[in-house]
Amino acid sequence: KYELEATQIHCPARISEEKMPLEDFMHELEKIDAEMVYDDWMKIIASAIAVFGFAWFYGGTLLDALCSLFVGVVLKMILICVDKIEFSTFFKTLFGGALVTLISICAASIGLCDSLDTLIISVIMLLVPGLAFTNAIRDAVNGDLLSALARMLEAIFVAVAIALGSGVVFWIFG
């Protein structure tokens, strides 16, 4: 009986099929929220691998991939710190896009990479709202138009923030 109750704790069907008191529902949500998904170092390592792979995918050299790995690690570490301050997603992404572009321009100007475009694009992929866009399409296909619209607007705002952050740095540094 104990094992059965333990498996039902995080079962979403239990919440939707049973009539639960509000206190129990809130307790279940707090349990889900308290679960640790990945620690910060795992996120940094995954980001480093991802940007290294994106640099190769976009036709960069080994030097581009190594430089993007460094810039990606710096970006992820800063974003983790900014997440603890609870910045809004728009401004966090705007800052991230500007930071990536600034570090990439500096790296290219001192010869640490071969292609500035490859470096910026591969690292900016960490900021791209692919999941929000995918979920928006899924919701639209399922007929949840309000949810689809909300998720699509979120993805558009994040894309605009990336473009603004990058564009301002390009405008300043030419």
Side-chain angles (χ1 to χ4, degrees):
K1 182 176 178 181
Y2 176 75
E3 290 178 16
L4 181 62
E5 290 173 2
T7 59
Q8 290 178 345
I9 289 175
H10 297 296
C11 179
R14 178 174 174 234
I15 293 173
S16 64
E17 292 173 357
E18 294 180 16
K19 291 186 178 181
M20 299 178 85
L22 182 60
E23 295 82 24
D24 291 346
F25 179 72
M26 292 304 291
H27 183 68
E28 292 293 322
L29 286 179
E30 287 170 4
K31 282 182 184 177
I32 292 169
D33 193 35
E35 286 181 359
M36 187 167 173
V37 182
Y38 297 106
D39 64 343
D40 293 340
W41 286 109
M42 184 60 72
K43 292 176 186 177
I44 291 169
I45 291 169
S47 297
I49 293 169
V51 296
F52 187 87
F54 281 126
W56 276 109
F57 179 76
Y58 291 127
T61 62
L62 180 60
L63 192 59
D64 292 334
L66 290 173
C67 193
S68 68
L69 185 140
F70 172 74
V71 176
V73 165
V74 169
L75 174 67
K76 193 61 179 179
M77 288 170 53
I78 290 173
L79 289 179
I80 287 171
C81 292
V82 170
D83 278 342
K84 293 179 184 187
I85 302 172
E86 296 183 14
F87 235 42
S88 76
T89 303
F90 181 82
F91 289 113
K92 180 178 74 169
T93 309
L94 180 94
F95 174 71
L99 183 69
V100 165
T101 306
L102 180 64
I103 294 172
S104 298
I105 288 173
C106 292
S109 68
I110 60 175
L112 292 179
C113 70
D114 294 325
S115 172
L116 176 63
D117 297 339
T118 302
L119 178 59
I120 291 173
I121 291 169
S122 61
V123 179
I124 277 184
M125 289 303 290
L126 291 177
L127 301 172
V128 172
L131 187 61
F133 184 73
T134 302
N135 287 338
I137 302 239
R138 184 201 62 208
D139 288 346
V141 169
N142 287 337
D144 300 328
L145 299 181
L146 187 59
S147 175
L149 181 63
R151 290 178 195 268
M152 186 60 71
L153 282 174
E154 176 190 0
I156 289 170
F157 277 125
V158 170
V160 166
I162 293 169
L164 279 174
S166 235
V168 166
V169 171
F170 271 126
W171 178 69
I172 290 171
F173 292 100

